[in-house]
Amino acid sequence: MIASAPYYHIVGKEIDVFEHAWLNKIPVLLKGPTGTGKSRFIEYMAYKLDKKLLTISCHEETSATDLIGRFIIKGAETIWLDGPLTNAVKEGYIIYLDEIAEARPDVIVSIHSLTDHRRELFIDKLGETFKAHKDFMLVASFNPGYQRGFKELKPSTRQRFIAMSFNYPDAKVEAEILMNESNVTEDIAKKLVAIGSKIRNLTELGLTETVSTRLLVDAGKLIHSGLPKRLSVKVAVVEPLTDDLQVLQALNDLTDLMI
Ligand code: ADP
């Protein structure tokens, strides 16, 4: 368990919703662009509910075997090693499948029986079915970046979860998050937030992903530790967004004027 509560700034009704999902053991899907507080929220909820959290960052190679477990050879023996999902099912942990749509399709298949009334996990390699511990809960995140090359989640999978949208917080909340997370002054926080919202509105730049709260927090941390402000914004906010030289130049010019 983490010693002190992770800092999480409430944005809406997400805590109430999650607590009721927890009471009813309904799987939860957190939707939204990267860096909008989804992981922080689930860390906070696990702390609040006093439950152990296992986080799996899914990528295109993540398979059901990675989650469920595998046989390994130890000396002359072959032994079975539970994966994190099996562990969570048996011990009653919260498992967070971050970016679930990125994982291989067999991952989605493997969680099906856990996401309905059965609440059980079938392990074909063992020929066994495990009933989930009463505290087991499944949470996943998904980045709905339609038409931008992100993978989709099938409607039949989505309908196994209740879902909440996460987005960039409003200016006041985002400034508070920046002050808390990076210890910058209110003035700097407001300027960083203004830069964030300005770039987010520049849809004509065609950026795949725009400025997240995470990037602004990083800029704040660099500024707080003494790196010049413009350089901090350049490396933490502008450079991560694009490699297009003209767009970089335009964004650097713009942000230089704002801080
Ligand atoms: P995601 O999981 O959506 O990609 P994270 O939870 O990792 O995003 O958030 C990225 C960073 O943004 C966090 O480390 C934290 O500094 C900050 N952040 C974003 N939203 C919040 C929030 N509501 N409360 C506290 N910190 C936040």
Side-chain angles (χ1 to χ4, degrees):
M1 284 291 120
I2 310 166
S4 61
Y7 165 70
Y8 177 73
H9 194 302
I10 300 171
V11 180
K13 294 277 178 220
E14 67 274 30
I15 293 182
D16 294 349
V17 171
F18 194 94
E19 281 177 342
H20 282 271
W22 162 257
L23 284 175
N24 292 284
K25 297 297 166 338
I26 304 174
V28 174
L29 183 65
L30 309 178
K31 305 189 292 179
T34 180
T36 45
K38 301 185 293 298
S39 307
R40 181 61 67 86
F41 171 65
I42 183 69
E43 281 162 26
Y44 173 78
M45 289 311 304
Y47 178 87
K48 198 164 189 280
L49 297 167
D50 196 18
K51 290 291 154 228
K52 183 166 167 168
L53 172 68
L54 296 183
T55 296
I56 310 296
S57 300
C58 299
H59 53 80
E60 53 203 17
E61 296 298 327
T62 307
S63 67
T65 303
D66 296 329
L67 297 186
I68 293 174
R70 49 168 51 92
F71 282 107
I72 57 160
I73 297 172
K74 207 171 176 193
E77 274 183 295
T78 308
I79 57 167
W80 173 260
L81 205 64
D82 282 343
L85 180 64
T86 309
N87 226 327
V89 165
K90 288 182 179 170
E91 305 296 330
Y93 301 150
I94 299 177
I95 190 156
Y96 178 46
L97 302 178
D98 196 6
E99 298 287 356
I100 190 172
E102 295 297 319
R104 302 226 305 235
D106 64 350
V107 165
I108 311 276
V109 177
S110 71
I111 60 168
H112 268 188
S113 57
L114 283 168
T115 52
D116 54 35
H117 64 283
R118 290 172 287 174
R119 277 178 59 86
E120 61 188 28
L121 177 67
F122 174 63
I123 306 187
D124 59 350
K125 286 182 186 134
L126 297 177
E128 277 185 73
T129 298
F130 295 91
K131 276 270 172 217
H133 186 288
K134 68 173 181 31
D135 289 349
F136 168 76
M137 187 173 178
L138 179 73
V139 184
S141 77
F142 166 60
N143 186 343
Y146 318 105
Q147 349 90 12
R148 286 182 294 175
F150 291 98
K151 291 192 189 157
E152 253 299 358
L153 260 193
K154 280 203 253 166
S156 58
T157 305
R158 299 170 64 117
Q159 293 203 14
R160 291 174 174 274
F161 296 83
I162 61 161
M164 283 191 274
S165 284
F166 281 65
N167 220 316
Y168 311 113
D170 68 36
K172 189 169 165 285
V173 172
E174 195 163 43
E176 280 170 28
I177 293 173
L178 293 191
M179 286 188 277
N180 258 288
E181 288 283 288
S182 63
N183 292 310
V184 286
T185 59
E186 187 175 355
D187 175 55
I188 296 288
K190 282 185 174 163
K191 284 182 175 153
L192 288 172
V193 168
I195 287 175
S197 62
K198 184 84 188 171
I199 298 179
R200 285 169 197 156
N201 286 324
L202 294 175
T203 44
E204 64 274 20
L205 293 182
L207 299 170
T208 321
E209 283 259 290
T210 187
V211 185
S212 65
T213 306
R214 178 188 291 125
L215 293 185
L216 298 179
V217 167
D218 289 345
K221 285 179 178 166
L222 297 178
I223 292 171
H224 182 69
S225 70
L227 197 70
K229 287 182 281 204
R230 289 180 178 174
L231 180 56
S232 301
V233 169
K234 179 174 154 73
V235 297
V237 178
V238 177
E239 290 281 351
L241 292 181
T242 178
D243 303 315
D244 182 310
L245 293 178
Q246 275 180 331
V247 177
L248 279 176
Q249 186 64 50
L251 289 178
N252 279 323
D253 291 348
L254 173 77
T255 55
D256 281 356
L257 290 174
M258 297 181 73
I259 195 152

